[in-house]
């Protein structure tokens, strides 16, 4: 809840959502593709015959993994089958309007040849830049690129989780210069990128330095006008993260929805937000053995729909193999989502909270700024009847289904502003969409 009682120098600098064209574009895109790719794809969750139970991109921190051996994996980074044009093609087919790529995860390995670090693709057998060709290929398909960047950097001797001694403070001072240099370098090398996706900002060293995260954010946005940065970068001067000590969102959108989604409108407080989701339970980088529950395309589609209905973006993560190809489970999901989006994508793009009373069959999504409201039906009632209750002073003008032969007859008026839409076919193998044209009574 918003208090606004504390005077803050490094709290939120804006009340409410951004209103500029860059942010409006992000807000309309709704579906993104996340890619976690780095050295962790080489062990793929296994080391010397043993299986790591954590997230594959964290394997370096596993007691069974000698850190030196992990750090030497750069000598094996050689993705000979890396085809960024194909990656971009399949992301575009899936309907993703933006993508986020790990330029540097916690291990510190840079997928671009950074002049500030020896630990990069330049030192690998691959030698070449990974990021540049990716940005170009995705941009050619009209997909915006965002750069994931971890503040935690296990490879930098100056990085600290906490500052306990004066020597720590001196080292961390150098580390902050290094971070600023690398970020500047990324913007200079890839001027078409739309934003940064920051991570690894939970340590005391970072969160107790609200003035630096604030100044860094302002610096980057001056350097690259329109740049979009989520709330995960920021802390205020009292160490509050994402939301400042007065309860106001810092950054351009709420970036805290990680492997979970809001349940209802009230959970997002009217803020722009984005949810990021793994296909298995918690694997971002490539893990050869996916264990536990693996989300189906229908589950992912339902999450996308739910996100749009609550005014947020939904980003699905992929973890390519070390040779540069995608595992079949991921390819299959991209293809299935692609088929669904080709028919139903108009319900997603530009979609937002409709302000209608939620019904058990699924989600309403309003085409932002219009009287068009999409019903995305995820649970068909055994009665074959879909209840629609319009808000007061609203008239139902027209009802159509995006796929033919789903609705039977015309809606039946069952009460004031309340209807049943009768279904022709109750058996569906994917969510389906009905478009309501409404008008406001004058
Ligand atoms: C972080 C990383 O550690 C992880 O490897 C992956 O890159 C993911 C996208 O981000 O993990 C997080 C970050 C934030 C939360 C949980 C895991 N969180 O806010 O609950």
């Amino acid at each position: 809840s918003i208090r606004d009682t504390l005077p803050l120098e490094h709290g939120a600098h804006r009340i409410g959502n951004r209103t500029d064209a860059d942010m409006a574009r992000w807000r309309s895109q709704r579906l993104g593709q996340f890619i976690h790719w780095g050295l962790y794809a080489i062990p793929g969750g296994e080391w010397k015959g043993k299986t790591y139970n954590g997230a594959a991109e964290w394997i370096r921190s596993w007691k069974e993994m000698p850190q030196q051996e992990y750090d030497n994996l750069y000598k094996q980074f050689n993705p000979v089958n890396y085809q960024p044009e194909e990656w971009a093609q399949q992301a575009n087919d899936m309907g993703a309007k933006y993508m986020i790529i790990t330029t540097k995860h916690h291990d510190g390995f840079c997928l671009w040849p950074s002049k500030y670090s020896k630990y990069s693709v330049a030192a690998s057998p691959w030698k070449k830049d990974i990021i540049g060709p990716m940005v170009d290929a995705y941009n050619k398909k009209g997909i915006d690129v965002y750069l994931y960047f971890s503040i935690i950097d296990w490879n930098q001797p100056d990085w600290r989780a906490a500052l306990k001694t004066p020597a720590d403070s001196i080292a961390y001072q150098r580390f902050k210069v290094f971070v600023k240099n690398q970020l500047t370098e990324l913007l200079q090398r890839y001027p078409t990128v739309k934003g940064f996706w920051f991570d690894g900002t939970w340590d005391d060293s970072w969160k107790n330095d609200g003035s630096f995260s604030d100044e860094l954010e302002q610096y980057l946005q001056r350097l690259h006008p329109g740049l979009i940065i989520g709330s995960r970068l920021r802390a205020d001067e009292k160490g509050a993260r994402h939301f400042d000590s007065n309860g106001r969102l810092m950054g351009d959108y709420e970036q805290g929805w990680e492997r979970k989604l809001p349940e209802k409108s009230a959970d997002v407080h009217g803020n722009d937000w984005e949810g990021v989701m793994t296909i298995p339970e918690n694997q971002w980088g490539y893990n050869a053995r996916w264990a536990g529950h693996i989300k189906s395309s229908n589950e992912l589609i339902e999450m996308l729909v739910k996100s749009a209905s609550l005014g947020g973006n939904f980003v699905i993560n992929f973890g390519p193999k070390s040779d540069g190809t995608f595992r079949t489970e991921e390819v299959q999901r991209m293809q299935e989502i692609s088929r669904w989006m080709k028919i139903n994508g108009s319900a997603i793009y530009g979609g937002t909270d409709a302000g209608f009373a939620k019904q058990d069959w699924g989600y309403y999504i309003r085409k932002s700024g219009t009287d068009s409201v999409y019903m995305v039906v995820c649970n068909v009632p055994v009665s074959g009847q879909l209840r629609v209750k319009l808000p007061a002073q609203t008239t139902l003008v027209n009802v159509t289904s995006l796929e033919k032969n789903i609705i039977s007859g015309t809606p039946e008026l069952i009460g004031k502003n309340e209807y049943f839409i009768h279904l022709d076919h109750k058996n569906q193998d994917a969510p389906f969409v009905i478009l309501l044209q409404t008008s406001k009574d004058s």
Side-chain angles (χ1 to χ4, degrees):
S1 62
I2 295 171
R3 291 176 296 274
D4 256 350
T5 47
L6 300 165
L8 292 172
E9 199 183 334
H10 301 294
H13 298 299
R14 188 194 61 246
I15 296 173
N17 292 326
R18 263 172 63 170
T19 56
D20 57 287
D22 291 291
M23 202 66 206
R25 180 177 167 99
W26 180 92
R27 191 179 295 127
S28 73
Q29 293 178 324
R30 291 296 176 242
L31 177 58
Q33 178 194 46
F34 210 149
I35 291 189
H36 273 70
W37 202 32
L39 298 181
Y40 39 80
I42 298 170
E46 286 169 23
W47 192 248
K48 305 231 160 101
K50 287 184 192 154
T51 304
Y52 174 53
N53 288 321
E57 73 283 1
W58 274 82
I59 196 168
R60 186 186 182 276
S61 64
W62 181 31
K63 61 178 181 343
E64 306 281 344
M65 168 60 95
Q67 296 188 347
Q68 260 201 333
E69 288 185 52
Y70 183 93
D71 292 341
N72 275 316
L73 288 172
Y74 77 92
K75 294 176 185 167
Q76 294 175 50
F77 185 79
N78 197 18
V80 291
N81 297 317
Y82 173 48
Q83 300 281 358
E85 294 78 14
E86 268 180 37
W87 290 28
Q89 177 69 55
Q90 65 191 1
N92 191 50
D93 288 346
M94 178 173 82
K97 298 292 185 193
Y98 69 100
M99 71 89 70
I100 308 163
I101 176 66
T102 49
T103 59
K104 183 178 83 165
H105 205 262
H106 308 335
D107 62 10
F109 182 70
C110 304
L111 290 188
W112 81 103
S114 175
K115 60 181 171 195
Y116 302 102
S117 171
K118 290 199 179 74
Y119 199 52
S120 85
V121 281
S124 75
W126 178 253
K127 291 197 179 70
K128 293 163 282 189
D129 186 14
I130 290 289
I131 302 299
M134 199 182 298
V135 173
D136 291 345
Y138 276 80
N139 282 171
K140 264 195 203 122
K141 293 283 175 199
I143 299 176
D144 290 344
V145 176
Y146 287 76
L147 304 180
Y148 169 108
F149 185 95
S150 170
I151 297 298
I152 290 178
D153 188 326
W154 295 328
N155 189 257
Q156 284 298 315
D158 288 335
W159 173 75
R160 297 286 185 283
L163 310 182
K164 292 172 187 141
T165 65
D168 284 346
S169 300
I170 291 165
Y172 203 68
Q173 203 56 41
R174 284 194 300 264
F175 178 72
K176 290 191 289 184
V177 173
F178 161 78
V179 163
K180 192 172 169 182
N181 283 339
Q182 281 207 318
L183 294 170
T184 306
E185 180 183 42
L186 284 168
L187 289 179
Q188 284 167 350
R189 287 183 63 101
Y190 314 114
T192 65
V193 301
K194 299 291 185 183
F196 281 114
W197 204 97
F198 285 104
D199 194 16
T201 52
W202 48 76
D203 293 302
D204 283 350
S205 53
W206 189 264
K207 70 179 196 215
N208 294 337
D209 198 348
S211 71
F212 184 67
S213 69
D214 189 12
E215 280 150 23
L216 183 64
E217 182 183 61
Q218 294 190 37
Y219 162 79
L220 294 170
Q221 291 183 323
R222 271 198 309 275
L223 200 61
H224 196 102
L227 195 73
I228 293 173
I229 297 176
S231 60
R232 202 176 283 199
L233 175 69
R234 290 279 272 110
D236 74 6
E237 60 261 52
K238 297 181 182 301
R241 297 180 60 229
H242 296 275
F243 292 87
D244 71 16
S245 301
N246 287 320
R248 286 200 190 280
L249 182 70
M250 296 182 283
D252 297 323
Y253 63 91
E254 191 189 347
Q255 202 188 347
W257 299 100
E258 193 263 347
R259 293 184 297 118
K260 62 179 191 292
L261 294 177
E263 279 303 319
K264 52 188 189 306
S265 229
D267 295 342
V268 298
H269 310 287
N271 289 318
D272 283 321
W273 66 274
E274 173 198 75
V276 292
M277 192 59 64
T278 50
I279 296 173
E281 282 165 14
N282 183 25
Q283 297 290 339
W284 299 88
Y286 175 70
N287 188 320
R289 292 180 209 224
W290 271 358
H293 178 68
I294 312 298
K295 292 172 196 77
S296 66
S297 299
N298 275 340
E299 281 176 85
L300 295 164
I301 290 166
E302 180 164 352
M303 289 173 172
L304 165 65
V305 166
K306 181 178 189 175
S307 300
S309 81
L310 294 172
N313 287 355
F314 186 68
V315 177
I316 306 172
N317 180 73
F318 298 85
K321 296 189 259 185
S322 61
D323 72 345
T325 62
F326 289 76
R327 68 197 305 149
T328 53
E329 299 94 322
E330 290 184 348
V331 173
Q332 189 195 353
R333 277 156 187 76
M334 283 191 269
Q335 289 171 349
E336 288 171 358
I337 294 168
S338 164
R339 279 199 288 281
W340 192 87
M341 288 295 281
K342 296 248 154 29
I343 298 165
N344 302 298
S346 56
I348 301 296
Y349 304 123
T352 195
D353 199 328
F356 282 26
K358 174 101 172 69
Q359 299 292 338
D360 292 336
W361 44 254
Y363 306 90
Y364 291 108
I365 301 173
R366 179 183 299 277
K367 182 76 82 184
S368 192
T370 75
D371 288 323
S372 301
V373 173
Y374 297 88
M375 299 167 56
V376 187
V377 182
C378 298
N379 306 293
V380 180
V382 290
S383 68
Q385 296 166 164
L386 305 177
R387 186 183 299 271
V388 171
K389 184 145 177 39
L390 300 175
Q393 271 95 53
T394 308
T395 300
L396 193 53
V397 177
N398 194 32
V399 177
T400 48
S401 64
L402 298 199
E403 271 179 293
K404 285 182 225 78
N405 299 328
I406 287 189
I407 301 171
S408 159
T410 50
E412 174 193 357
L413 187 69
I414 55 169
K416 193 171 167 15
N417 274 3
E418 199 167 341
Y419 298 86
F420 272 151
I421 294 173
H422 296 264
L423 297 175
D424 226 10
H425 298 282
K426 284 199 287 175
N427 296 327
Q428 297 290 333
D429 56 12
F432 59 92
V433 179
I434 294 170
L435 171 57
L436 307 179
Q437 292 295 347
T438 67
S439 73
K440 277 258 171 287
D441 303 349
S442 44

